[in-house]
Amino acid sequence: MRDAAVERVSVVFSLFDADGSGSLTAADFEFMARRVVAVADGSDAAATRAMTAAFRRFWETLAAELDADGDGAVTWAEFRSCVLSPERFDATVAQFADALVELGDPDRDGLIARPRFRALMTAIGFEVANVHALFDAFEPSDEDLVEVDTWRRAIVDFYSPDQAGIPGDLLVGERPR
């Protein structure tokens, strides 16, 4: 298991633990979905439903795959094991990535502007400075736009234990709030 992947998984756990309880529950994912959808002004209802569904599926997959004691909560010890067998989460991560980039591109032009990227990523809980560093790593155009496909690939890579030295590692620089 790569150290970078463990650090990324640690960040993801802290972000998903929206209530700070030390374990993940369905309520954390509902809260996170509402928070992300709330900043996606201009997105259509289908895109916001897709994002909410992606957060719910993320929770359902985590609970089914990792809640070893069946208590309806996933602890850090349980969650950390997702790095060992990421294939169990590939489809869930892909759905999440698709839904998030769809919120980022409401006009469907294949591009996302920095302000919208920042709003979505900070709604997830990433630090603003880290979000800007990631956006810059995507080498935005002169109009300060990046391709949503670049972002989507970065989301998928972020959850892969075999990836190191990826742009998503910039999100780990400081602990999320």
Side-chain angles (χ1 to χ4, degrees):
M1 178 180 342
R2 296 182 184 263
D3 291 341
V6 173
E7 288 178 37
R8 290 192 305 263
V9 168
S10 176
V11 168
V12 168
F13 184 87
S14 67
L15 296 174
F16 284 161
D17 184 14
D19 65 4
S21 68
S23 62
L24 308 180
T25 65
D28 290 316
F29 286 80
E30 291 296 325
F31 176 77
M32 181 80 85
R34 285 191 307 273
R35 194 167 66 192
V36 171
V37 166
V39 301
D41 47 329
S43 292
D44 61 29
T48 59
R49 281 193 305 271
M51 185 79 260
T52 301
F55 271 110
R56 287 180 180 147
R57 180 176 179 188
F58 219 124
W59 165 249
E60 291 163 1
T61 302
L62 289 175
E65 295 288 336
L66 302 178
D67 184 11
D69 59 8
D71 66 352
V74 174
T75 64
W76 165 243
E78 291 169 326
F79 187 78
R80 188 175 186 271
S81 70
C82 74
V83 175
L84 298 173
S85 45
E87 66 280 353
R88 297 186 294 180
F89 303 96
D90 288 345
T92 299
V93 169
Q95 179 185 357
F96 179 79
D98 290 341
L100 188 57
V101 299
E102 186 177 346
L103 283 183
D105 185 19
D107 62 2
R108 312 260 194 287
D109 67 354
L111 301 169
I112 183 168
R114 184 182 301 264
R116 189 164 189 92
F117 182 84
R118 180 185 60 240
L120 291 168
M121 295 295 282
T122 57
I124 291 170
F126 291 107
E127 293 292 329
V128 173
N130 298 348
V131 169
H132 284 292
L134 178 59
F135 194 86
D136 290 340
F138 293 154
E139 300 178 359
S141 69
D142 291 341
E143 294 81 27
D144 214 21
L145 303 167
V146 297
E147 294 183 12
V148 294
D149 289 341
T150 299
W151 184 26
R152 187 197 182 284
R153 279 189 305 276
I155 295 167
V156 171
D157 286 350
F158 190 80
Y159 288 90
S160 175
D162 298 327
Q163 299 292 328
I166 59 172
D169 288 339
L170 295 168
L171 294 173
V172 180
E174 292 180 37
R175 277 290 181 231
R177 58 184 155 112

